[in-house]
Amino acid sequence: GGDCTGLMNSVDNGETWREIGLKDHWFSHIHHDLVVKGRVWACAPGSEDVPEEARDQAAGKDPNPRPRYGRFRGLYRSEDGGETWNRLEMARVPEELCQIAGEDRIVGVFEEQTVQETRDGGRTWTDCSQGLPRLPPNGKVWENYGCQRGRYKGIGAGPDFLVICDTRGNVFRRGADESRWTEIPHGPVVYTHPERELRPYKNMPAACTIVVDPHDANHWMITDWYAVWETNDAGKSWHSRIHGAQPLVPFTIAASPFDSNVVFYATADSRMYISRDGTKTFGKVVGEGAVGESVNSIAFSRVTPGLALVTGGKFNPCVRITRDNGATWSLCATNGLPAIRPDLGWTKKDGFYAPYSIAVHPKRDEFYIVLGGVIG
């Protein structure tokens, strides 16, 4: 399920797809029932109520042609493998569903605040949040960038238990026959490559998914803003598993045409990463100023080994050049290009441009660049 494009179905292991309806929804989760054959659930909760975006849309300033507001919402259930769907009547819609294999109980996370369960196919739901911390009185979901104790995004299931994590990386467990959730104490998370990873957090900030290995009930994984985390002792200790490269809004990735071990990997809000061992490990680009910061696009020369140009810069839009596969960098001359604001910051003004995409001729060192207007 996508955003406003409806549900898609494949019956050949993903080789081909066809539309099966329910357009104009934002689907956050699809769950194949583990007990009832042919039963499929689809969650379309809408999105967070962001007041600024609601005001922009009301004023006609929302640039998104499919705005988050005005989408249809609902929890849908199919009994024939997704061919037809029924909308269940309920005031709130879960973001994610979970199920212990062999149990007819379906558990859902609602509005990132509570957990509820149904044992009758979704007709009725009862609270099963007992033991889970709640947001403080008057607390708002998006305070502290949404990294909060008491805000829940990810839930998973083992062979006889459920696990859930809040967006501060606190993990809770509930056995199939237990009446309450119990927090699993864990020390500070361990960065496997501390010298290369982005920020020395002691927790897992903005944790949003948790899964249990179906072959090992003690092996779990969590994703958050910056990393993938792994535990092999049922949540008592956590280690990063990203080999030094943050998965934070990846913009682009490219490999040298002369040495496939050299890979550039660019994300939002951080410096570009370079691997020299075929992506086994990564290290951040080093250098002063804007070099390697918030890269949008990469172009490796097909003629000159080691030569590459990159564009981007969230706060310092520019074009950078390397002649040694990223060991050293310098700002590239921009003679002949429209004016590029040297320090964009948050003070956008008319008349300046930001470099977005760059490409190279396949047979000569001739580069092509696309710039976009910066309009306040």
Side-chain angles (χ1 to χ4, degrees):
D3 187 357
C4 295
T5 56
L7 292 173
M8 305 288 289
N9 183 41
S10 173
V11 294
D12 55 10
N13 204 32
E15 293 293 330
T16 59
W17 295 84
R18 64 185 177 89
E19 297 180 1
I20 53 175
L22 295 182
K23 291 188 176 183
D24 298 319
H25 294 72
W26 170 62
F27 287 100
S28 62
H29 190 225
I30 295 172
H31 175 70
H32 291 263
D33 201 292
L34 302 180
V35 172
V36 182
K37 186 176 180 180
R39 176 175 288 179
V40 187
W41 305 75
C43 303
S47 295
E48 301 96 340
D49 182 13
V50 183
E52 293 80 3
E53 294 186 10
R55 287 195 293 269
D56 284 347
Q57 187 200 19
K61 297 179 180 179
D62 191 341
N64 186 351
R66 294 280 191 173
R68 292 195 280 186
Y69 299 86
R71 292 185 181 118
F72 296 113
R73 302 171 70 247
L75 175 62
Y76 295 86
R77 191 186 67 203
S78 172
E79 303 293 343
D80 54 12
E83 293 299 320
T84 59
W85 295 87
N86 294 311
R87 185 178 185 274
L88 304 180
E89 292 299 325
M90 51 197 310
R92 297 189 300 163
V93 178
E95 281 201 355
E96 184 175 355
L97 299 176
C98 193
Q99 185 180 17
I100 296 173
E103 279 196 354
D104 59 2
R105 176 178 60 166
I106 302 291
V107 180
V109 179
F110 288 75
E111 297 178 345
E112 305 177 17
Q113 303 294 293
T114 60
V115 179
Q116 298 184 35
E117 64 178 41
T118 179
R119 296 177 182 270
D120 57 11
R123 287 186 291 275
T124 60
W125 294 79
T126 57
D127 182 70
C128 63
S129 304
Q130 299 85 354
L132 290 178
R134 302 294 181 93
L135 287 177
N138 302 318
K140 295 180 175 59
V141 165
W142 269 104
E143 290 177 341
N144 192 28
Y145 296 99
C147 302
Q148 298 156 287
R149 184 172 177 84
R151 180 188 180 198
Y152 304 94
K153 293 285 287 183
I155 190 169
D160 57 0
F161 63 90
L162 298 166
V163 289
I164 195 170
C165 60
D166 66 17
T167 56
R168 288 293 291 176
N170 301 299
V171 184
F172 303 83
R173 183 187 188 279
R174 181 168 176 164
D177 299 324
E178 294 176 348
S179 59
R180 297 180 63 81
W181 295 88
T182 302
E183 186 168 359
I184 302 172
H186 67 80
V189 295
V190 178
Y191 288 85
T192 311
H193 300 276
E195 74 282 2
R196 296 199 297 272
E197 298 186 1
L198 188 60
R199 301 180 183 182
Y201 286 108
K202 295 181 179 179
N203 54 17
M204 295 172 275
C208 56
T209 67
I210 183 168
V211 296
V212 178
D213 186 338
H215 305 291
D216 182 353
N218 292 320
H219 180 213
W220 312 345
M221 301 193 85
I222 281 177
T223 62
D224 69 5
W225 263 343
Y226 305 111
V228 178
W229 301 94
E230 181 182 49
T231 178
N232 288 295
D233 54 14
K236 298 181 180 64
S237 60
W238 293 89
H239 293 75
S240 68
R241 291 293 182 257
I242 55 173
H243 308 298
Q246 314 299 329
L248 176 62
V249 193
F251 282 162
T252 186
I253 189 168
S256 165
F258 298 97
D259 184 354
S260 59
N261 285 315
V262 176
V263 180
F264 291 2
Y265 169 68
T267 70
D269 298 325
S270 67
R271 286 181 173 250
M272 190 169 68
Y273 296 87
I274 295 180
S275 174
R276 303 190 186 281
D277 55 14
T279 74
K280 294 184 176 67
T281 60
F282 285 88
K284 277 183 280 192
V285 167
V286 296
E288 299 297 326
V291 175
E293 177 258 343
S294 247
V295 166
N296 290 331
S297 184
I298 302 165
F300 275 100
S301 168
R302 266 54 174 179
V303 176
T304 305
L307 175 62
L309 272 67
V310 301
T311 61
K314 184 172 182 179
F315 301 106
N316 294 280
C318 57
V319 183
R320 304 112 183 183
I321 185 171
T322 179
R323 299 181 184 278
D324 51 17
N325 279 329
T328 59
W329 291 85
S330 61
L331 293 178
C332 188
T334 55
N335 299 330
L337 291 178
I340 297 175
R341 185 171 175 82
D343 184 11
L344 178 60
W346 296 109
T347 57
K348 301 176 182 176
K349 294 184 178 180
D350 295 345
F352 290 97
Y353 292 81
Y356 292 111
S357 298
I358 192 164
V360 65
H361 195 282
K363 295 183 178 180
R364 56 182 180 267
D365 284 341
E366 185 173 293
F367 291 84
Y368 304 85
I369 192 169
V370 176
L371 290 89
V374 177
I375 301 174

